[in-house]
Amino acid sequence: MGVAQLKSGGLWKWRSFSGQPKRTVMWKWVCGFMLFSLGVISLFTGHVVSHLEWAQQLSKRSLLDISRKEPIDVWKSKYSKFFYGCSERGKSFPPAVQEHKSNGYLLIAASGGLNQQRTGITDAVVVARILNATLVVPELDHHSYWKDDSDFNDIFDVNWFISSLTKDVTIVKRVPDRVMRSMEKPPYTMRVPRKSTPEYYLDQVLPILSRRHVLQLTKFDYRLANDLDEDMQKLRCRVNYNALRFTKRIQSVGMKVVKRMRKMAKRFIAVHLRFEPDMLAFSGCDFGGGEKERAELAEIRKRWDTLPDLDPLEERKRGKCPLTPHEVGLMLRALGFANNTYIYVASGEIYGGEKTLRPLRELFPNFYTKEMLANDELKPMLPFSSRLAAIDYIVSDERRERYMGHKRTIRPNAKKLSALFMDREKMEWQTFAKKVKSCQRGFMGDPDEFKPGRGEFHEYPQACICQRPFSYDKTSTDDEEEDIPEEVHNNTSSGHGHLSSADSERDEVFPD
């Protein structure tokens, strides 16, 4: 039997080369092929077919899609071994422009607390690259709510910052005196809009830099778009996860805290409550403290002239209110963390103090802070909020955990959880726990959880996380903890889970 194909019309016609009826010939051919196929398949049952099905599943679904079908392991993701940080410079990425050939000197005034400053510094390097400018080591904010007069070299290793980025951007500690003496006017100062694109910098900022040769960008926080091309995203990763190394003093104290926690527990949770007075005031939410609370937070709220009046109930329904310490504790217990789990609370001043923290302590009696674990070592740092925050950062090390594919970083699904907490008294514990687990699927810190451009870059560095082949076999288990020397700088895997209850769009991001 032969087959003739009419390609132009996409039609098939059958014809017979013998005198047999066309249907009989076709039927015999189909039956024979089916019997032959079944025979071949039977030889490989349980092997070839299963591997083909697995390959087809993986080609159609991400590892995260697969993991969402399975029970949540609160301590680790079984798929994390397939991901790793990959921020290496591409072969086609041109070398840095030398100082004498650059378009001028870029001065950056970072803004806010430590996390906001890190984001500003990271973006400053990328903006300098976009403008082919020489970057001057950024200035830190001395006038924010936190009132910290620390300079860059008080928190970060400035020499490492400069040398580690030599191939990407030329960085100097100050504008040369000869350049300052040659200027007819003081450095031009401007503030760019939030989330400005590279095109904006080239069209609006570069002409001024080229003309004035020294340019300062003020209140530099979240002034660069989240979604950049791959080379620039990888540069962001090199800055945030490698170039921003804390000073030896800060690193030493931070590692002592880590070791003291590990001495008590092999695994622990680092919880960032985000329940400081300024965060609560900025949110415009109500936390059950009555008229006294409303008056206190309203007074703090006056520091921002442009904040709109907000309906506290509507904000809570929208998931824009920080979870209370009690709600954080209930969420963790519902996810499966036992009463004897050790937790490290990495936060600044908690609104309401011990009274606010008591419900969390009752849910997790093994409750520790940096003050409890390193009181004497912390005394020289007490006047400096950013240095204290750096200690918490080292213990939590949350963004690096996501980048390196290590332990979980849990981000509360605030919108769904808020509605659930409002109805908490109407349901049994088992029902509540089941609903919490359902809410948190996709918010447990799996490596490929977020698409590029979603959320702030420093939390979701998707472009800088690569996937290993599915055949990769990690010899060591996730439960094995390495001994970390105190002299290691920001290259640690703390071996713990991390939870931050900050809303991703409000992480210290305050209005202009």
Side-chain angles (χ1 to χ4, degrees), residues 456-473:
E456 301 300 341
F457 160 79
H458 69 278
E459 291 189 13
Y460 316 120
Q462 181 74 22
C464 310
I465 297 177
C466 294
Q467 187 170 318
R468 291 187 174 95
F470 296 123
S471 59
Y472 170 77
D473 185 17

Side-chain angles (χ1 to χ4, degrees), residues 74-75 115 268-275 322-337 341-347 360 364 392 395-399 401-402 407-414 417 421 436 440 443-445 459 496-503:
V74 293
W75 286 109
N115 286 338
F268 63 91
I269 315 170
V271 181
H272 204 311
L273 292 173
R274 284 318 219 196
F275 212 71
L323 299 183
T324 68
H326 188 206
E327 289 171 338
V328 170
L330 289 173
M331 184 198 73
L332 291 173
R333 291 297 300 273
L335 285 173
F337 290 100
T341 299
Y342 281 71
I343 70 169
Y344 175 87
V345 175
S347 298
L360 178 60
F364 294 96
D392 284 336
V395 182
S396 302
D397 215 8
E398 76 279 17
R399 293 167 186 88
E401 293 296 337
R402 181 185 298 278
K407 306 300 184 293
R408 286 199 179 280
T409 300
I410 301 172
R411 185 176 66 95
N413 183 351
L417 287 175
F421 281 121
V436 168
Q440 283 302 120
F443 290 78
M444 298 295 289
E459 291 189 13
H496 54 264
H498 175 268
L499 180 142
S500 173
S501 60
D503 181 88

Side-chain angles (χ1 to χ4, degrees), residues 427-439:
M427 63 187 80
E428 298 292 330
W429 173 256
Q430 293 300 326
T431 302
F432 173 76
K434 183 178 180 180
K435 289 181 178 293
V436 168
K437 291 173 183 175
S438 177
C439 288

Side-chain angles (χ1 to χ4, degrees), residues 440-452:
Q440 283 302 120
R441 286 197 176 275
F443 290 78
M444 298 295 289
D446 289 286
D448 62 346
E449 204 166 77
F450 290 88
K451 296 179 180 178

Side-chain angles (χ1 to χ4, degrees), residues 53 93-94 133 141 180 194 242 264 268 309 350 373 398 431 478 492 500:
E53 289 174 349
F93 199 57
D141 190 349
M180 295 298 290
R194 291 192 188 276
N242 183 49
M264 294 183 290
F268 63 91
D309 291 330
I350 299 297
L373 296 169
E398 76 279 17
T431 302
D478 288 327
T492 64
S500 173

Side-chain angles (χ1 to χ4, degrees), residues 53 76 94 126 181 212 222 251 263 331:
E53 289 174 349
K76 61 185 178 181
V126 179
R181 287 195 300 266
R212 300 295 294 268
Y222 303 95
Q251 188 70 22
K263 189 174 181 180
M331 184 198 73

Side-chain angles (χ1 to χ4, degrees), residues 73-217:
D73 183 331
V74 293
W75 286 109
K76 61 185 178 181
S77 167
K78 66 182 291 186
Y79 299 105
S80 64
K81 65 183 180 181
F82 293 112
F83 296 88
Y84 64 98
C86 56
S87 59
E88 292 82 7
R89 187 180 298 98
K91 293 181 179 180
S92 61
F93 199 57
V97 174
Q98 297 304 303
E99 183 178 354
H100 66 283
K101 294 182 179 179
S102 73
N103 290 322
Y105 294 88
L106 185 64
L107 301 170
I108 294 291
S111 180
L114 180 65
N115 286 338
Q116 198 168 343
Q117 289 172 356
R118 286 185 69 107
T119 302
I121 295 166
T122 298
D123 287 348
V125 173
V126 179
V127 168
R129 173 79 192 199
I130 292 170
L131 298 173
N132 279 334
T134 296
L135 177 66
V136 179
V137 171
E139 297 179 4
L140 304 187
D141 190 349
H142 296 166
H143 307 289
S144 69
Y145 176 89
W146 295 269
K147 298 293 188 297
D148 188 333
D149 61 2
S150 298
D151 292 323
F152 189 99
N153 60 352
D154 293 319
I155 300 175
F156 303 107
D157 184 334
V158 65
N159 292 326
W160 171 258
F161 177 71
I162 294 172
S163 63
S164 65
L165 293 169
T166 299
K167 294 182 179 180
D168 296 307
V169 173
T170 298
I171 305 175
V172 297
K173 293 182 180 179
R174 51 195 294 245
V175 178
D177 290 338
R178 59 176 175 77
V179 175
M180 295 298 290
R181 287 195 300 266
S182 68
M183 293 174 59
E184 297 179 358
K185 299 178 181 179
Y188 188 86
T189 299
M190 66 182 295
R191 184 185 299 176
V192 299
R194 291 192 188 276
K195 308 295 177 67
S196 294
T197 64
E199 291 73 24
Y200 178 90
Y201 282 97
L202 292 173
D203 294 341
Q204 304 297 324
V205 180
L206 181 56
I208 299 174
L209 175 65
S210 299
R211 186 170 64 250
R212 300 295 294 268
H213 207 55
V214 179
L215 172 65
Q216 182 179 48
L217 301 181

